[in-house]
Amino acid sequence: MNLPAPRRVVLDTDPGIDDALAILLALASPEVDLAALSIVHGNCTLAEAVTNALALAELGSRPDLVVAAGCDRPLLRPPVTAHDTHGTSGLGYARLPRGAAQAVEEHAVELLIREIMAAPGEVTLVAVGPLTNVALALRKEPRLARAVRECIFMGGAFRAEGNITPLAEFNVYADPHAAQIVLSSGMPLTIMPWDITRDVRLTLADVERLLARGGPIPRFIAEATRYYIEFHQREFGWAGCSINDPAALALAWWPDLAQMRDLYVEVELASELTLGKTVGDSGGRSGRAPNVRLVERFDATTFVARFLQRMEDLADRLAA
Ligand code: RIB
Ligand code: CA
């Protein structure tokens, strides 16, 4: 049986613990040709995120992976980070060795433009951090909106409460102006919202199962998610942690796990109280054409099982 060609993916990311799991899932999945990591401020500072991305590439035995540093702050808003959620380093209790690999000289915004414009219709942009890099790339090269195969974005809170303010989800709240630029760009945009990913959880039992495999990958996942699970227990009373970013990434090759609907979406930019709230026009009252495919249902159980299997496969492959 001929397998489809791997999806060429650029991952725009703010690693961060769940971002780290998305990077490992991309490296573990034969359906993905991971072209590059473009790094953005968010869960931690840009410098911390670049260090973490390089260390994760080393952990995944991909010291050749292109890592490009992007924007270190939002377009207009003061920077926000989430060290309470992801720890002082951004990777929880995990401490990864720094390899020899360095970030490339090219700015992440330039990398996004170059990679996507060089192969129109071929590159899937998966954005799992604040959208500052993506927004600037669209402003510098508006043709990006038509050249990208699709953009999958983890962010927004629609019917669920926010996870950074009562209404807003972190990636949108951290740079709401960038999010609005992306939403109004005409880019084919699929949104995997907090409404869905909050319920895509890894439990301590899942982590114990991985640890039984032995080796550096399960050890990293255990040390990173132990911090992350403690945060979710404190913050939400949950016995597990939301693995938002790998769930969003997986839409690139397991779209059948999701049910989606077309929707017009805009971001609240005016009020301090509701800043960053993603407003979906589910009743069509705005008269605006849909600009987003929004994930409304997701088979979290199947995804988590597949994610664990991929992490075990990766652990076995790297231990061989
Ligand atoms: O709100 C969750 C999102 O914000 C995830 O991408 C997490 O890594 C943070 O970036
Ligand atoms: Ca993220």
Side-chain angles (χ1 to χ4, degrees):
M1 178 179 74
N2 290 331
L3 293 174
R7 271 288 191 105
R8 190 151 175 81
V9 169
V10 174
L11 183 63
D12 192 75
T13 175
D14 59 333
I17 294 170
D18 58 331
D19 302 72
L21 300 181
I23 293 168
L24 292 178
L25 179 61
L27 296 179
S29 300
E31 300 88 348
V32 176
D33 166 17
L34 185 59
L37 300 179
S38 54
I39 309 303
V40 68
H41 67 88
N43 286 320
C44 50
T45 66
L46 177 73
E48 290 161 347
V50 171
T51 297
N52 293 341
L54 291 166
L56 287 160
E58 191 86 21
L59 175 71
S61 290
R62 283 293 309 280
D64 62 301
L65 183 59
V66 171
V67 173
C71 297
D72 68 353
R73 71 200 66 193
L75 298 180
L76 288 176
R77 296 284 301 172
V80 286
T81 53
H83 285 107
D84 60 332
T85 311
H86 296 267
T88 50
S89 72
L91 295 178
Y93 294 121
R95 293 293 176 268
L96 290 177
R98 285 197 62 158
Q102 296 293 316
V104 296
E105 282 300 308
E106 188 178 36
H107 191 282
V109 169
E110 296 297 346
L111 179 142
L112 291 176
I113 294 169
R114 179 180 53 73
E115 279 286 342
I116 294 169
M117 298 310 290
E122 295 298 317
V123 176
T124 297
L125 172 56
V126 180
V128 293
L131 289 167
T132 316
N133 291 340
V134 179
L136 284 184
L138 284 162
R139 278 289 188 262
K140 188 166 193 287
E141 178 47 88
R143 293 178 298 166
L144 208 68
R146 291 279 169 264
V148 72
R149 177 170 177 167
E150 72 170 320
C151 177
I152 299 168
F153 171 54
M154 189 279 135
F158 291 80
R159 298 186 191 285
E161 277 198 19
N163 60 6
I164 181 80
T165 73
L167 285 176
E169 174 279 328
F170 179 83
N171 284 338
V172 175
Y173 180 76
D175 197 340
H177 303 92
Q180 186 51 43
I181 287 172
V182 173
L183 280 164
S184 57
S185 69
M187 185 153 65
L189 182 58
T190 298
I191 292 186
M192 173 67 109
W194 166 245
D195 308 57
I196 298 291
T197 63
R198 51 176 290 165
D199 297 326
V200 185
R201 293 181 201 161
L202 213 57
T203 65
L204 284 172
D206 294 329
V207 175
E208 289 307 316
R209 165 182 154 180
L210 285 177
L211 270 176
R213 227 35 181 232
I217 298 283
R219 254 198 319 277
F220 165 76
I221 293 174
E223 290 163 356
T225 56
R226 185 160 58 85
Y227 187 99
Y228 200 39
I229 290 173
E230 286 171 3
F231 167 80
H232 284 75
Q233 280 168 330
R234 257 192 342 267
E235 187 76 11
F236 303 106
W238 297 343
C241 58
S242 301
I243 54 172
N244 314 288
D245 295 347
L249 169 75
L251 294 176
W253 70 95
W254 286 329
D256 299 345
L257 289 176
Q259 291 176 33
M260 306 179 195
R261 69 172 293 191
D262 294 337
L263 196 64
Y264 175 72
V265 176
E266 210 168 306
V267 177
E268 164 62 62
L269 298 175
S271 152
E272 272 302 322
L273 177 64
T274 56
L275 184 73
K277 169 64 181 166
T278 42
V279 181
D281 176 16
S282 46
R285 292 181 183 76
S286 68
R288 301 285 185 92
N291 55 347
V292 157
R293 275 194 323 166
L294 180 70
V295 175
E296 288 208 310
R297 282 182 177 62
F298 185 70
D299 183 347
T301 304
T302 301
F303 170 70
V304 170
R306 291 183 185 176
F307 172 78
L308 291 170
Q309 185 58 59
R310 288 289 160 99
M311 291 303 101
E312 288 176 335
D313 296 347
L314 184 63
D316 294 349
R317 176 155 51 92
L318 298 186

